[in-house]
Amino acid sequence: MGANLSGKASDFDGSCSPVRPQLGDIPESYVALVLTHLDPTEICNLARLNMAFHSASSADFIWASKLPQNYRDITEKVLDEPKLLNSQMKDIYARLCRPNPFDGGTKECWLDKKTGEVCLSISSKGLTITGIDDRRYWNHISSEDSRFQTVAYLQQTWWFEVDGQLEFPFPAGTYSLFFRVQLGQSTRRLGRRVCNPEHVHGWDIKPVRFQLTTSDGQRSVSQCHLDSSLGTWVNYHAGDFVVEKNCSKSSTKIKFSMTQIDCTHTKGGLCLDSVLVCPSSIGKSIS
C-alpha cells in the first residue's frame, strides 16, 4: 500500500495536506542572482518581503554591478572619506546617491537612485560671471528654489556672459548640460510664492548663445530666446558630450558658456541658479 503514495511524509503537514513552498524557502543565493537583474529601487522594495530577500539584497556583487565602473575615482574626487571604500557595496551606493557637495560647496554630485548614473550640479557661485562683483549689476540672493540656497540675480547689464569649466571622472556615456534660469525674482508673500517682474527686459530682442566644448575636441553651439514666462525655472540645453569607454579611466574636461553680448541694448531681471550635467537619458525628461 505504501508504494501507491504519491509523496513522502515530509511533504505533508499534520492534516495530511501537501505543504506548499514559501518565498522563504528559496535559497538565498538564487534570490541574489534574481536581484542582479533588477534596478536598485526594485531591489530595496523586494528586500522588505522577508529575511531571505533582505539578506540577499546586501550581497556585494549585486551592488557592484549597479555602481559606475570608476566609482572609486568618483568617491575620491567628491568625498574626503577614504574608509568608505572599505564598506559594503550597498553602503557605498547609498552614500553616493546623496547630494555630495565638493569644491567648497559650489558643486554637488550624486548617483541617480534608479540607474546609478552620475549627475552633477554647479552653483552660480561656481561659475565665472562678468560683473558679478559690481552690485549695480549683479547680486547673490537667497532662494528656496535652489539646491544651493542661493542664486545670482541680474538687475541690468549691457554685456551678459557666464562661463564655467569642470574636470571630472565621468563614467562612459552620453551627457547633457543645462543652464537653470528664471526671468523675474521669486519671493514669499503670506506663505505664497510670487514673482517680481521688476528689471525684466531685453531678452526678447536678441537670442542667448550657448556653447559647450570638451578637451577631446567635441563642440556644441546653439542659441534661443529665453522663455518669457515669469517666475518659471527653465533648463536651457547647452549641448551634449560623449565619454568613451577608453576615456572613462581619466577625467574629462569641459568648458561651457551662456552669453548675450550685443551691446545695442540692456537686459536684466534674470536669476541664474546653476548648471546641471546629467546623462542624456535623464536630460530628455527635464528639457
Side-chain angles (χ1 to χ4, degrees):
M1 291 179 62
N4 295 326
L5 293 176
S6 59
K8 300 177 181 178
S10 59
D11 295 330
F12 295 82
D13 59 18
S15 61
C16 295
S17 299
V19 177
R20 296 181 179 180
Q22 304 293 320
L23 279 175
D25 298 327
I26 303 176
E28 186 177 307
S29 58
Y30 288 7
V31 174
L33 287 173
V34 172
L35 295 181
T36 59
H37 298 282
L38 305 179
D39 67 48
T41 54
E42 292 171 332
I43 294 172
C44 292
N45 288 333
L46 286 176
R48 302 171 185 170
L49 283 177
N50 55 42
M51 290 300 296
F53 276 75
H54 183 271
S55 180
S57 68
S58 298
D60 271 352
F61 72 89
I62 295 177
W63 294 99
S65 67
K66 309 304 176 186
L67 283 164
Q69 288 188 344
N70 64 339
Y71 75 92
R72 287 182 171 273
D73 296 329
I74 296 172
T75 302
E76 291 173 356
K77 173 75 174 181
V78 173
L79 299 174
D80 186 20
E81 300 178 23
K83 293 183 179 180
L84 179 64
L85 292 173
N86 297 323
S87 305
Q88 284 190 306
M89 293 294 185
K90 181 180 179 180
D91 296 331
I92 296 174
Y93 189 92
R95 184 68 177 82
L96 291 177
C97 281
R98 303 178 196 171
N100 297 291
F102 65 106
D103 277 2
T106 61
K107 301 179 180 68
E108 282 189 357
C109 175
W110 66 95
L111 299 186
D112 180 75
K113 291 182 179 180
K114 186 172 184 179
T115 66
E117 296 176 300
V118 172
C119 300
L120 193 146
S121 186
I122 306 170
S123 77
S124 58
K125 291 185 176 181
L127 304 172
T128 301
I129 303 174
T130 301
I132 189 64
D133 296 324
D134 193 328
R135 293 294 182 87
R136 294 174 300 173
Y137 306 117
W138 288 90
N139 282 293
H140 283 293
I141 60 175
S142 60
S143 172
E144 296 178 357
D145 296 336
S146 172
R147 65 168 54 245
F148 298 100
Q149 302 301 310
T150 183
V151 300
Y153 178 68
L154 171 66
Q155 296 185 63
Q156 178 175 291
T157 190
W158 293 89
W159 186 285
F160 175 79
E161 182 174 13
V162 180
D163 298 290
Q165 57 183 333
L166 173 69
E167 183 174 353
F168 194 82
F170 288 103
T174 302
Y175 296 85
S176 298
L177 186 143
F178 299 88
F179 282 83
R180 188 169 187 257
V181 174
Q182 172 186 275
L183 293 183
Q185 182 178 351
S186 297
T187 56
R188 287 281 176 181
R189 185 177 301 168
L190 299 177
R192 298 180 59 186
R193 184 179 183 274
V194 296
C195 179
N196 182 358
E198 185 182 9
H199 304 136
V200 178
H201 71 283
W203 302 107
D204 57 340
I205 300 175
K206 293 289 181 69
V208 171
R209 177 185 174 93
F210 299 93
Q211 185 166 321
L212 168 66
T213 60
T214 67
S215 53
D216 62 356
Q218 300 178 64
R219 185 170 184 264
S220 177
V221 179
S222 62
Q223 61 181 22
C224 70
H225 285 87
L226 299 188
D227 192 311
S228 59
S229 301
L230 300 179
T232 301
W233 287 103
V234 180
N235 292 297
Y236 290 95
H237 183 210
D240 299 332
F241 64 95
V242 178
V243 178
E244 303 290 349
K245 287 186 178 180
N246 58 342
C247 297
S248 61
K249 295 181 180 180
S250 59
S251 293
T252 300
K253 298 178 182 179
I254 60 174
K255 293 183 179 182
F256 44 90
S257 64
M258 175 183 180
T259 58
Q260 215 294 15
I261 54 178
D262 186 325
C263 293
T264 60
H265 66 284
T266 62
K267 40 266 176 185
L270 174 143
C271 284
L272 172 63
D273 174 29
S274 58
V275 166
L276 171 67
V277 183
C278 65
S280 295
S281 57
I282 297 176
K284 292 178 181 178
S285 64
I286 64 173
S287 59

